Amino acid sequence: MNSNIPRMILGSNHMDLADRVLAKDKRAAARLITLIESEEEEAYEQLGILHASTGKAHIIGVTGPPGSGKSTIVDRLAKKIRAKGKTVGIIAVDPTSPFTGGAILGDRIRMVDLTLDEGVFIRSMGTRGHLGGLSRAASGAVKVLDAFGMDVVILETVGAGQSEVEIVSHAHTTVIVEMPGLGDEIQTIKAGIMEIADIFVINKADREGADKTAMEIQAMLGLNPEKPEWEPPILQTVARTDQGVDVLLEKVEEHYKYLKASGKFEKMVEMGIREELNTLIRGHLNRLADDMIDREQFDKMVNDILARKIDPYTAASQLVEDIENKLK
Ligand SMILES: Nc1nc2c(ncn2[C@@H]2O[C@H](COP(=O)(O)OP(=O)(O)OP(=O)(O)O)[C@@H](O)[C@H]2O)c(=O)[nH]1
Ligand SMILES: [Mg+2]
């Protein structure tokens, strides 16, 4: 009886958000993602509860330059995946947008019919400050939708440099959406992006220059002296009229099967866990350092460094040594 009291006092706050997510409550999922975005301590507790129920979804990353048709493709893919009886979560990340929780224009359009569907969950996220935080938040949102039971989770992010590479690093299958037409278009496919691509899509193939762009990508891939086990296909689509999207979905599924059959999937997941654990430990150690640095000593060191009495390297070592001695 008594054990019920805390829950009663807390009422229907986020105490039981994780349970509600597991019971397929979309509002709870949305609420938890908001908590994750604001980096609330509570969010990590809830994510901790959800961990046991994650690891089942196929996570697909879709990235590429602004306006190449990513959202249109994701929309088409989601409908096709639903038609096969599978459920889909969509997280649209825009590192250049300060908007969160709601929808960016392009996403609002597709939301009309997809959000009416019980088996679909769509969420937009933007930066609230630092990019590292956005990548972490996106990863958390993926976990929520995975635990929710979505068979497929699509992470869409606009190509804006290093950030999209970091964000799609949470995906199992990465699709790069390019488009023909721009003279220096191929220049935007940077080395980092080439390496993470599992599938290339040249969308807007109704425009001139799609074959040329395909050849340029092929040429860039050909520069790699090692023949990869998985050779990224280069597809052409007209997402607006649904041309080629069936083939894209086939390739996405083929890639997933390849990952599973080759054992790459498990390795990839293990590597992700290693990285996450390292990042979390470093976060804790940073906070620990902030708590334990002797501020008086620190200020004295700053003055001594200014006065050229000591160098910063020796000073840092001494401050850390002090912390180590305190911990003993
Ligand atoms: N001609 C043509 N237009 C397309 C095609 N696919 C999408 N579009 C149009 O291109 C514009 C951008 O499409 P989106 O799907 O919003 O592109 P996006 O990559 O998600 O854009 P951001 O998220 O803003 O980077 C829209 O007006 C689409 O209707 C296509 O295959 N051909
Ligand atoms: Mg978009």
Side-chain angles (χ1 to χ4, degrees):
M1 257 285 233
N2 277 347
S3 64
N4 282 335
I5 291 173
R7 221 163 240 234
M8 281 167 62
I9 293 169
L10 289 164
S12 64
N13 80 354
H14 41 257
M15 191 66 194
D16 49 3
L17 269 185
D19 292 334
R20 285 166 55 203
V21 168
L22 294 174
K24 298 199 188 295
D25 176 346
K26 282 191 187 174
R27 285 178 59 192
R31 174 92 190 99
L32 181 50
I33 293 172
T34 302
L35 287 182
I36 292 168
E37 281 184 308
S38 25
E39 305 193 20
E40 299 271 347
E41 197 56 41
E42 182 67 31
Y44 301 107
E45 279 169 38
Q46 299 301 310
L47 277 176
I49 299 169
L50 291 182
H51 177 75
S53 307
T54 58
K56 295 183 199 99
H58 178 199
I59 305 161
I60 304 168
V62 176
T63 189
S68 58
K70 298 176 293 296
S71 295
T72 313
I73 284 178
V74 169
D75 178 90
R76 298 271 181 198
L77 279 177
K79 282 174 185 149
K80 288 178 197 298
I81 293 165
R82 283 299 290 138
K84 292 186 158 193
K86 291 183 183 166
T87 52
V88 194
I90 300 171
I91 299 159
V93 185
D94 186 350
T96 63
S97 164
F99 297 110
T100 53
I104 316 160
L105 188 64
D107 304 309
R108 188 162 292 166
I109 297 161
R110 69 161 168 222
M111 272 189 163
V112 177
D113 44 336
L114 274 179
T115 36
L116 294 175
D117 184 337
E118 256 311 296
V120 176
F121 181 98
I122 305 175
R123 173 64 173 244
S124 296
M125 304 176 101
T127 27
R128 282 188 177 176
H130 53 137
L131 281 171
L134 182 60
S135 173
R136 212 166 32 244
S139 152
V142 167
K143 287 183 187 184
V144 172
L145 299 186
D146 183 354
F148 185 96
M150 292 308 187
D151 299 311
V152 177
V153 177
I154 307 179
L155 244 179
E156 173 192 336
T157 185
V158 67
Q162 191 50 43
S163 54
E164 83 267 34
V165 176
E166 202 183 318
I167 290 163
V168 294
S169 72
H170 305 299
H172 304 133
T173 300
T174 299
V175 180
I176 308 288
V177 181
E178 286 288 335
M179 59 181 167
L182 302 169
D184 299 330
E185 178 56 25
I186 206 73
Q187 309 278 315
T188 67
I189 312 177
K190 297 169 221 90
I193 281 283
M194 290 299 281
E195 282 156 26
I196 59 162
D198 299 308
I199 298 167
F200 285 97
V201 172
I202 299 146
N203 188 44
K204 307 197 182 184
D206 50 326
R207 289 193 187 167
E208 215 161 303
D211 288 336
K212 187 166 168 274
T213 305
M215 268 155 54
E216 284 168 334
I217 293 171
Q218 188 63 65
M220 283 183 85
L221 287 175
L223 293 177
N224 189 348
E226 284 167 63
K227 197 168 164 321
E229 248 183 76
W230 170 268
E231 286 182 68
I234 304 165
L235 312 176
Q236 296 192 20
T237 59
V238 184
R240 200 138 77 173
T241 55
D242 204 33
Q243 265 171 267
V245 186
D246 278 318
V247 178
L248 172 57
L249 182 56
E250 269 169 37
K251 289 291 174 191
V252 164
E253 288 169 344
E254 205 178 292
H255 182 255
Y256 187 59
K257 281 188 197 129
Y258 155 76
L259 287 179
K260 289 274 184 170
S262 64
K264 286 233 159 83
F265 189 84
E266 270 169 31
K267 277 195 198 131
M268 192 181 231
V269 172
E270 189 197 310
M271 264 182 43
I273 290 170
R274 279 181 189 280
E275 237 178 81
E276 185 178 25
L277 199 52
N278 265 321
T279 307
L280 289 170
I281 291 170
R282 272 163 186 69
H284 283 296
L285 288 178
N286 268 334
R287 281 187 293 276
L288 190 68
D290 282 340
D291 289 347
M292 295 199 69
I293 290 168
D294 184 333
R295 286 295 145 195
E296 240 172 77
Q297 194 64 13
F298 185 91
D299 291 343
K300 186 186 168 296
M301 288 293 193
V302 171
N303 284 326
D304 287 352
I305 295 165
L306 271 172
R308 304 297 186 273
K309 283 189 201 159
I310 193 170
D311 67 88
Y313 317 101
T314 309
S317 296
Q318 283 183 12
L319 287 167
V320 172
E321 218 168 278
D322 287 347
I323 294 177
E324 280 171 347
N325 287 331
K326 273 191 228 166
L327 287 172
K328 272 177 196 157

